Amino acid sequence: MEKKPHFVRREFPPREVSPVSLALLLAAILLLNAFLYLFLNKFYISSGRAETDSGLCPFGHFRLGTVKNCSPWLSCEAINREVRKLKCVGEGAVKKVFLSEWKENKVVLSQLTNSELKEDFLHGLKMLKALQSKHVVRLLGYCQQQFTILTEYHPLGSLRGLNETLHIPRYKGMNTWHRRLMLAIDYVSIIRYLHSSPLGTLVMCDSNDLDKVLSQYLLTSDFRILVNDLDALPLVNRSAGRLVKCGHRELQGEFVAPEQRWPYGEEVPFEDDLMPPYDEKTDIWKIPDVSNFFLGHVEGSDIVRLHLFDIHAACKKKDPAERPSAQEVLDTYRKVLTLLIREVAMPGTREML
């Protein structure tokens, strides 16, 4: 009868780590932590610096391209004389947009198309002038008499084309959870800025569906977000009892906040005078849907969504008063970014241990 082989379990002595190896390992950990600290510190300084960036020109001036000196906003005469239209690149309810040229620089010229909406156009110009900062597209000039506005050109266009841009070979390296989360942080930073702007608490009213929201923002060549369209930006003033309504028509759909929908049921016809006003928390309701678009479906994006689940659930509270502020959402997003970068950075070090 054939004997079955007998396996003897061998005990291996614990592996000793030499003092030199341990010192190198500790040095590597300290170096990694120092690198992580410097990276995050640089990111937070960039994200949290003064809203009116010191690198910007004084009010009423701009700097374009590689030019070091600031120039005053172009006047009607300068725009008519020095700006050349190249082609129409877009048209909305309020204005038509032309890719143009000024002193060998590509620029954007916007012109009013509907005289009935001139108040919206002028409001957008007023907001653009007053809110110039690192969050807002750069104003180069305007002609109020002719209802024209000149702004900086960004070749990647609006955020509606984000996914298409990320599939272009030169930008595929940007298509990561990390870069997409930073775009979401940029977006929430803009909402936070509007809610605590120099003019007071402003509500982003051109946001009745995702496509409309994305069309209001530009993607820069270094993958930052700028708000571009400020035509519908009413002011909330709680101390004066002033709330807002985004337009005079009935809003529908799950994208808009519950308080923006007609509250009296289908049996009561919509009447603008009976529609209750609301505050800036409508912007908070929309953050999870917009961020979900930013995160996309790349490797790691579901992990990011998991970490953001609680704050997004809070954003979707039916009672606006129970939703977090834009600052609280922004703080959470930054904490999640810090946590996930650490989790990505540390596994290799754990294996060395």
Side-chain angles (χ1 to χ4, degrees):
M1 182 176 179
E2 186 180 351
K3 292 184 178 180
K4 293 182 180 179
H6 180 62
F7 294 101
V8 178
R9 183 178 178 182
R10 297 178 61 186
E11 298 289 339
F12 292 95
R15 186 172 60 182
E16 293 185 2
V17 180
S18 70
V20 175
S21 298
L22 187 58
L24 290 173
L25 179 58
L26 291 173
I29 293 173
L30 289 173
L31 187 63
L32 181 62
N33 280 326
F35 173 78
L36 187 60
Y37 171 80
L38 289 172
F39 171 83
L40 293 171
N41 191 49
K42 181 179 179 182
F43 172 77
Y44 287 138
I45 289 173
S46 173
S47 299
R49 66 181 182 268
E51 304 297 354
T52 50
D53 194 319
S54 59
L56 294 174
C57 294
F59 182 79
H61 295 72
F62 71 92
R63 180 168 48 228
L64 193 61
T66 57
V67 178
K68 293 183 179 180
N69 297 327
C70 295
S71 303
W73 287 337
L74 299 185
S75 63
C76 295
E77 182 185 356
I79 291 174
N80 292 332
R81 185 181 65 248
E82 301 171 11
V83 177
R84 181 170 64 96
K85 289 181 186 177
L86 298 178
K87 63 177 179 178
C88 180
V89 292
E91 184 173 2
V94 178
K95 53 186 176 284
K96 187 177 286 189
V97 180
F98 296 89
L99 174 62
S100 305
E101 191 174 54
W102 176 74
K103 293 187 177 180
E104 299 183 351
N105 292 291
K106 294 284 190 353
V107 294
V108 173
L109 186 70
S110 302
Q111 291 186 315
L112 177 68
T113 54
N114 186 347
S115 59
E116 293 180 1
L117 298 174
K118 65 181 180 181
E119 292 303 320
D120 291 344
F121 184 90
L122 293 175
H123 177 75
L125 173 59
K126 177 185 174 182
M127 294 294 105
L128 193 55
K129 289 162 61 179
L131 298 176
Q132 283 294 288
S133 68
K134 67 189 181 76
H135 298 299
V136 179
V137 69
R138 189 171 298 161
L139 178 64
L140 308 180
Y142 64 92
C143 180
Q144 191 162 319
Q145 298 94 314
Q146 298 173 8
F147 297 98
T148 59
I149 300 173
L150 194 69
T151 54
E152 189 175 18
Y153 172 63
H154 293 280
L156 296 183
S158 80
L159 287 176
R160 285 190 294 191
L162 174 64
N163 289 324
E164 289 75 12
T165 297
L166 288 171
H167 283 95
I168 297 173
R170 66 180 294 188
Y171 294 116
K172 279 188 174 180
M174 298 285 196
N175 197 16
T176 64
W177 70 263
H178 170 255
R179 180 60 64 173
R180 283 176 170 271
L181 177 54
M182 289 182 72
L183 288 175
I185 289 173
D186 258 6
Y187 168 72
V188 177
S189 296
I190 292 172
I191 298 299
R192 189 278 311 267
Y193 174 61
L194 295 178
H195 288 185
S196 56
S197 83
L199 301 177
T201 302
L202 299 168
V203 181
M204 194 64 171
C205 264
D206 261 345
S207 56
N208 297 336
D209 56 62
L210 179 61
D211 192 63
K212 187 63 175 175
V213 170
L214 299 175
S215 71
Q216 310 301 303
Y217 298 86
L218 295 172
L219 180 66
T220 68
S221 297
D222 59 348
F223 269 69
R224 293 181 301 109
I225 295 176
L226 298 173
V227 62
N228 180 53
D229 196 330
L230 303 173
D231 294 346
L233 212 60
L235 179 69
V236 168
N237 187 338
R238 283 194 188 82
S239 60
R242 183 194 302 166
L243 298 178
V244 304
K245 287 192 284 188
C246 290
H248 303 287
R249 294 180 297 178
E250 182 177 1
L251 300 179
Q252 296 177 325
E254 292 299 314
F255 188 83
V256 296
E259 64 271 23
Q260 292 184 280
R261 302 172 212 153
W262 180 242
Y264 303 118
E266 294 182 0
E267 62 277 5
V268 180
F270 176 81
E271 190 174 335
D272 184 43
D273 290 340
L274 297 179
M275 179 67 198
Y278 34 83
D279 62 17
E280 77 280 3
K281 290 299 184 73
T282 58
D283 289 334
I284 304 300
W285 170 274
K286 297 159 189 173
I287 285 175
D289 298 295
V290 180
S291 288
N292 187 54
F293 167 81
F294 285 131
L295 293 175
H297 300 285
V298 298
E299 182 180 355
S301 62
D302 286 343
I303 298 298
V304 178
R305 286 186 179 90
L306 185 63
H307 281 82
L308 295 176
F309 180 85
D310 288 342
I311 191 68
H312 283 174
C315 290
K316 291 293 188 181
K317 294 280 189 181
K318 188 171 183 181
D319 182 355
E322 295 181 4
R323 295 174 205 154
S325 67
Q327 183 65 62
E328 290 171 322
V329 178
L330 180 59
D331 290 342
T332 302
Y333 274 41
R334 287 173 173 169
K335 287 176 184 175
V336 168
L337 176 64
T338 302
L339 174 66
L340 291 176
I341 289 176
R342 282 181 178 154
E343 288 185 355
V344 168
M346 296 306 289
T349 306
R350 289 196 198 101
E351 290 173 7
M352 292 170 64
L353 291 170

